[in-house]
Amino acid sequence: MPYLSLPTLSGYLRQNGCTVDQWDLNLLFYEEAFSMAYLQTVFQSRRHLLSLAVQEELSQSIEMLHDVEQAKDVFKTEAFYDYSALMWAERTLEKVYACFSLLYPGTYFSKDYFRIEGQSITSSQAVIQAAQNTLSNPFIDFFNLKVLPRLNENTPHLVGFSIAREYQMIPTFTFAYLIRQCFPEIHLTVGGAFFSKIADGLKKDHHPAFSTLVHSAVKGEGEDALLKLVKALGGELTLEEVPGLIYNTSEGLLKVNPAGLALSMNDDIGTPDFEGLDLKNYWSADLVLPILGSRDCYWKDCTFCDHYMQFSGFRSRKPQKIAEDMSYLQQKHGVKHFQFCDETMSPNFGRRLAAALQETDTHVHWYTMARLQKGFDAETADIWRQSGCLFILMGLESANAELARSMVKGTDNSITEAVLKNLHEAGIFTFAFLFFGFPGETLATATETVQFIRKNQRFINSLGSGVFYLQKSTPVFRNHQAFGLIPDAEDLQDDWACVIRFQLQKGMDTEQAILFHEKFREEMGFAYRAALWQKIPRIAFFLYLSRYGKQKVLEHNGLSALEASLEQVRQFKQQGNAVAAAYINQSVLKKYTDQPLAANRAAYFALEQHNLSLAEYWWKKAQTQGPHLAETYLLEGLILQQRGQLMEAVRAFENALQKDVYLVEAYLALAEIYHLQNNTAEKRRHAQEALKIYEVEKSLNRFSFYTPADFAVRYQAILPEASIA
């Protein structure tokens, strides 16, 4: 889908007499670079930079991409609504990402991530180096081949870049650098949601970004600043009169202009203008258009949040005007799906919007974010649903009352439960955001959140989870001492640092929070039976909701029959019902003789029964079927350990941990081996890692294939002085 900043800025400039082209270079990259022809062209030009082995691998990989155009079509046609076809298309695109990573050594590339090894985005100097890195930066070739010629055909006076996410930093500034080299007469400026968070890093004399990448920058909302910058470049104003502009003078001295006034969303800012964007080529069978009902957040107290950085204060557009916007865009572009990009929408505002949509006879489907607050009674929830709302995303963050107060969330579990229940029963698909590792959180308080999810899973239709990260522009950072945080001194020195590493004086540290989150996600995968929302992007999921309805989407089960059976085996084993576990496991083996997961579990059972020859039999089958699975390496290590081949076992366990760093069994086995070798330091190190994972699994009451009793016996045999509850 289009990103809203360009249509909003373009609409404002056009209504004030400016000629504007808006380019979605993200879409252009996927359209042009994700093709056999492009990859072959670039491959031929870069052969001399690649080893013979990589050349051979690339030749084979590119030849296998004969169906990449078909995969791209899946996203744009009715095949999009065929889940198996959509997953096939996603897997095909992953092969393209792999080709880019081979073509450009040191590049890590996926649909969610872009990084160049050794080149941070937290320092302007590092970004400048990345923009000139012809070995590893794929965007240099792309812009030279596909984009700069278009600028040559119709050279603008001003190019503005909007950076919404951190992974856009290198692509954006690569393009800026190239334009600066080829078209020195073009003024380059930058802004956007993410860039507003780091814009203060430009505030110094002789900043290298102003001499190498861009000429100016805007922090916060950009409409008025961009219009007046256009006028300044045309001689009607001076640069000093452009509100909020950050730049260096011709002498290299810093200038930061005072911020301008917030524009009215009713009188100044009009309907988003998508004219010029290639709307027919966005990668979804039905186009979703973004729209905005309000700017900023009316709550705006959450201590971990910095979304306010991009706004000039909270204000909203009249619901009647929003309904007219949606009706106009529906008729002009033939769309019926909208995403509200608001930080949050209040229950009452949604009721007024519903009335306006009914008054204008506008029939659409939409989704938004909202707060877990009073006002979402059953009647309100039903009114929202009848107006076309299918999906609401809400910030739970934590179900522990003390932690919620520390976050200044303003939530209450009883209200949260009622809101989620009302929305669910009205037919709206609910989504809860949460994260672990906020300062002061412990395993016990984190577990309260998990228990809340378990209790209310029927009403929490979907969720998104993560780990707390410290952002430089948040209240928690400004008051880090009060929260017991020690920011990383090295990160603080980087001029474009947004996320700061830290140490905690109490509670879970980041490593524990990551571990807890991984185990939580593992449980949720089974609890929600690998539901559709866990498998496809949010926009795609919204469209599936629109096409198939809530009930059918809820019934989707993404767990394979094998995964479901193995989970049943694990549960019976944890309950102490070894007979039932063994019975189901035997059924699994008969049905899935060619699956490595089944063979690995059979090998576990054989080892527990001290039947080494049977364990070896099943492990060899697993090795043939899935030699690079973490469990296959783990089983190899356990068998070697029982044979007494300890050094070979160590290597196998280390291979297993490279695949899965949270394998309790591997750490425990390594501790046992080092115990036999009287290597106290390594024994304790691996035992501590095992205990850390065990404690997380104990708090979640979700253990791996081992049982708590097994763990306690083995751990105390290694460290007799230890006490395991």
Side-chain angles (χ1 to χ4, degrees):
M1 61 178 288
Y3 183 67
L4 186 57
S5 66
L6 298 188
T8 303
L9 292 167
S10 296
Y12 183 76
L13 291 173
R14 285 168 178 165
Q15 74 186 29
N16 283 281
C18 299
T19 302
V20 182
D21 284 341
Q22 50 180 332
W23 293 0
D24 188 335
L25 294 180
N26 183 62
L27 177 61
L28 185 66
F29 180 76
Y30 277 88
E31 285 293 303
E32 298 285 347
F34 275 54
S35 71
M36 281 187 71
Y38 180 85
L39 291 169
Q40 286 168 340
T41 297
V42 175
F43 178 36
Q44 293 306 320
S45 69
R46 295 179 61 81
R47 267 187 185 273
H48 64 287
L49 298 172
L50 308 171
S51 69
L52 290 176
V54 169
Q55 289 183 42
E56 180 65 25
E57 187 176 355
L58 265 169
S59 294
Q60 295 175 3
S61 298
I62 294 174
E63 285 301 316
M64 292 172 63
L65 291 174
H66 52 82
D67 52 3
V68 68
E69 296 302 326
Q70 182 184 348
K72 288 158 65 174
D73 285 341
V74 166
F75 291 95
K76 306 175 190 178
T77 62
E78 280 296 301
F80 176 88
Y81 292 109
D82 180 336
Y83 173 75
S84 59
L86 190 62
M87 291 299 97
W88 170 81
E90 291 273 14
R91 289 192 298 271
T92 302
L93 294 190
E94 287 171 5
K95 298 175 185 176
V96 182
Y97 290 119
C99 286
F100 273 105
S101 294
L102 289 170
L103 277 167
Y104 298 91
T107 294
Y108 296 86
F109 212 162
S110 74
K111 68 177 181 180
D112 302 314
Y113 193 66
F114 173 76
R115 179 170 69 88
I116 297 177
E117 186 176 8
Q119 294 195 302
S120 169
I121 62 167
T122 62
S123 154
S124 58
Q125 288 287 6
V127 172
I128 291 169
Q129 290 172 10
Q132 302 172 56
N133 185 345
T134 55
L135 177 66
S136 301
N137 188 339
F139 297 100
I140 295 174
D141 286 331
F142 173 71
F143 291 136
N144 278 323
L145 289 169
K146 298 293 183 179
V147 187
L148 286 176
R150 293 177 60 181
L151 276 180
N152 202 35
E153 292 170 7
N154 186 17
T155 308
H157 300 96
L158 167 67
V159 172
F161 304 95
S162 180
I163 301 180
R165 299 294 299 272
E166 60 275 16
Y167 51 73
Q168 295 172 322
M169 289 283 284
I170 290 175
T172 296
F173 286 117
T174 297
F175 191 33
Y177 174 78
L178 293 172
I179 295 175
R180 188 102 180 221
Q181 300 300 304
C182 299
F183 304 93
E185 72 277 14
I186 297 177
H187 185 98
L188 305 176
T189 193
V190 62
F194 178 76
F195 194 79
S196 292
K197 299 178 183 181
I198 61 171
D200 287 343
L202 290 171
K203 293 178 179 179
K204 70 176 185 179
D205 293 338
H206 306 286
H207 195 288
F210 289 131
S211 59
T212 311
L213 302 176
V214 294
H215 299 93
S216 63
V218 175
K219 178 180 177 180
E221 298 180 24
E223 288 90 352
D224 191 35
L226 203 52
L227 176 62
K228 287 176 179 171
L229 180 57
V230 170
K231 292 182 177 181
L233 296 175
E236 299 178 51
L237 300 173
T238 64
L239 287 179
E240 287 82 357
E241 295 176 275
V242 179
L245 199 69
I246 305 169
Y247 61 104
N248 276 180
T249 66
S250 56
E251 293 80 25
L253 302 179
L254 173 68
K255 293 286 288 184
V256 181
N257 295 342
L261 298 176
L263 297 179
S264 166
M265 291 193 67
N266 295 304
D267 302 322
D268 300 319
I269 300 171
T271 310
D273 187 346
F274 296 91
E275 198 66 42
L277 291 176
D278 189 7
L279 295 182
K280 292 182 179 179
N281 262 330
Y282 280 93
W283 289 26
S284 61
D286 290 292
L287 181 65
V288 180
L289 287 183
I291 197 165
L292 204 60
S294 64
R295 292 192 175 184
D296 211 339
C297 174
Y298 62 80
W299 179 257
K300 207 165 108 174
D301 286 333
C302 298
T303 56
F304 56 83
C305 183
D306 65 354
H307 290 187
Y308 66 90
M309 293 292 293
Q310 59 184 301
F311 298 113
S312 302
F314 179 78
R315 64 251 195 239
S316 60
R317 190 164 172 81
K318 292 177 180 177
Q320 183 65 33
K321 283 184 175 288
I322 298 171
E324 291 168 1
D325 291 342
M326 295 170 83
S327 178
Y328 168 78
L329 292 170
Q330 183 178 42
Q331 294 173 37
K332 181 176 177 62
H333 300 296
V335 297
K336 65 171 282 189
H337 299 95
F338 291 89
Q339 175 200 358
F340 276 89
C341 299
D342 300 42
E343 295 300 310
T344 187
M345 184 182 290
S346 74
N348 185 54
F349 190 89
R351 288 182 68 124
R352 292 164 56 207
L353 174 62
L357 288 169
Q358 184 177 25
E359 186 179 326
T360 55
D361 197 29
T362 304
H363 302 283
V364 293
H365 284 166
W366 55 278
Y367 79 98
T368 188
M369 291 198 283
R371 280 182 48 75
L372 289 160
Q373 65 175 72
K374 288 181 179 179
F376 279 110
D377 52 48
E379 181 191 16
T380 299
D382 189 59
I383 289 171
W384 276 49
R385 177 62 190 89
Q386 294 306 314
S387 74
C389 179
L390 302 183
F391 188 26
I392 300 181
L393 302 96
M394 311 179 105
L396 170 64
E397 322 310 357
S398 173
N400 173 263
E402 184 179 347
L403 213 59
R405 281 193 294 273
S406 182
M407 294 177 182
V408 197
K409 279 297 300 178
T411 53
D412 177 274
N413 283 353
S414 60
I415 294 172
T416 293
E417 288 178 339
V419 169
L420 292 168
K421 181 175 182 290
N422 290 337
L423 293 173
H424 167 75
E425 292 182 346
I428 295 173
F429 208 92
T430 60
F431 181 103
F433 289 106
L434 57 129
F435 62 85
F436 302 105
F438 189 77
E441 183 159 42
T442 63
L443 285 176
T445 55
T447 305
E448 285 186 42
T449 301
V450 180
Q451 290 168 341
F452 183 88
I453 299 294
R454 290 168 177 160
K455 175 186 173 186
N456 295 284
Q457 186 184 336
R458 179 186 167 198
F459 308 125
I460 302 173
N461 303 138
S462 56
L463 54 88
S465 58
V467 172
F468 170 74
Y469 54 93
L470 179 63
Q471 298 180 95
K472 200 174 181 179
S473 44
T474 57
V476 70
F477 175 81
R478 291 196 296 273
N479 300 290
H480 60 266
Q481 290 179 326
F483 283 93
L485 287 165
I486 305 172
D488 183 86
E490 185 178 336
D491 285 358
L492 293 176
Q493 292 176 358
D494 286 346
D495 57 350
W496 282 353
C498 177
V499 176
I500 307 295
R501 290 171 293 178
F502 62 91
Q503 293 180 342
L504 275 169
Q505 294 176 333
K506 61 180 180 178
M508 287 196 294
D509 60 24
T510 300
E511 185 181 355
Q512 289 172 312
I514 291 171
L515 170 57
F516 190 94
H517 177 235
E518 288 294 324
K519 294 297 180 180
F520 170 76
R521 286 188 60 182
E522 180 183 299
E523 175 176 341
M524 292 301 105
F526 286 105
Y528 284 94
R529 304 189 67 78
L532 193 62
W533 57 268
Q534 294 174 313
K535 299 288 187 178
I536 63 177
R538 194 173 297 159
I539 293 296
F541 178 71
F542 169 56
L543 290 172
Y544 269 60
L545 269 177
S546 176
R547 170 63 65 96
Y548 295 116
K550 178 178 177 179
Q551 189 56 41
K552 191 166 183 179
V553 166
L554 281 172
E555 290 169 358
H556 179 275
N557 182 355
L559 280 182
S560 69
L562 171 61
E563 289 172 325
S565 296
L566 291 177
E567 173 63 7
Q568 199 174 10
V569 172
R570 188 197 68 81
Q571 289 176 353
F572 275 127
K573 193 167 185 297
Q574 296 304 325
Q575 293 165 9
N577 193 339
V579 175
Y583 175 78
I584 295 172
N585 196 61
Q586 288 302 317
S587 301
V588 167
L589 288 173
K590 289 177 183 177
K591 193 172 182 179
Y592 302 103
T593 55
D594 60 341
Q595 296 291 322
L597 285 176
N600 274 325
R601 293 303 167 91
Y604 270 122
F605 269 99
L607 282 174
E608 287 182 337
Q609 295 161 5
H610 308 290
N611 191 335
L612 187 58
S613 60
L614 184 60
E616 288 176 343
Y617 167 79
W618 284 116
W619 170 72
K620 286 176 181 175
K621 285 185 72 72
Q623 190 183 43
T624 302
Q625 297 157 354
H628 302 303
L629 292 176
E631 280 197 350
T632 304
Y633 285 121
L634 176 63
L635 262 297
E636 179 186 10
L638 294 173
I639 290 168
L640 289 167
Q641 185 182 16
Q642 287 208 13
R643 284 181 186 164
Q645 297 171 254
L646 299 186
M647 295 316 296
E648 292 88 342
V650 167
R651 283 193 289 271
F653 291 134
E654 288 174 345
N655 285 334
L657 290 170
Q658 284 182 358
K659 298 289 183 180
D660 183 352
V661 296
Y662 301 126
L663 282 175
V664 171
E665 295 92 334
Y667 287 117
L668 204 53
L670 284 167
E672 288 170 337
I673 291 172
Y674 289 121
H675 176 63
L676 291 174
Q677 296 175 342
N678 296 316
N679 187 336
T680 304
E682 286 299 302
K683 174 184 76 173
R684 289 190 177 279
R685 183 169 73 86
H686 287 92
Q688 286 169 357
E689 290 295 328
L691 182 60
K692 188 186 301 180
I693 299 167
Y694 168 80
E695 287 175 340
V696 169
E697 293 186 340
K698 180 186 173 187
S699 67
L700 288 166
N701 194 29
R702 180 181 174 81
F703 299 93
S704 301
F705 210 61
Y706 71 93
T707 65
D710 295 335
F711 181 89
V713 169
R714 292 174 64 188
Y715 192 85
Q716 289 184 298
I718 302 166
L719 297 171
E721 70 277 13
S723 175
I724 302 295

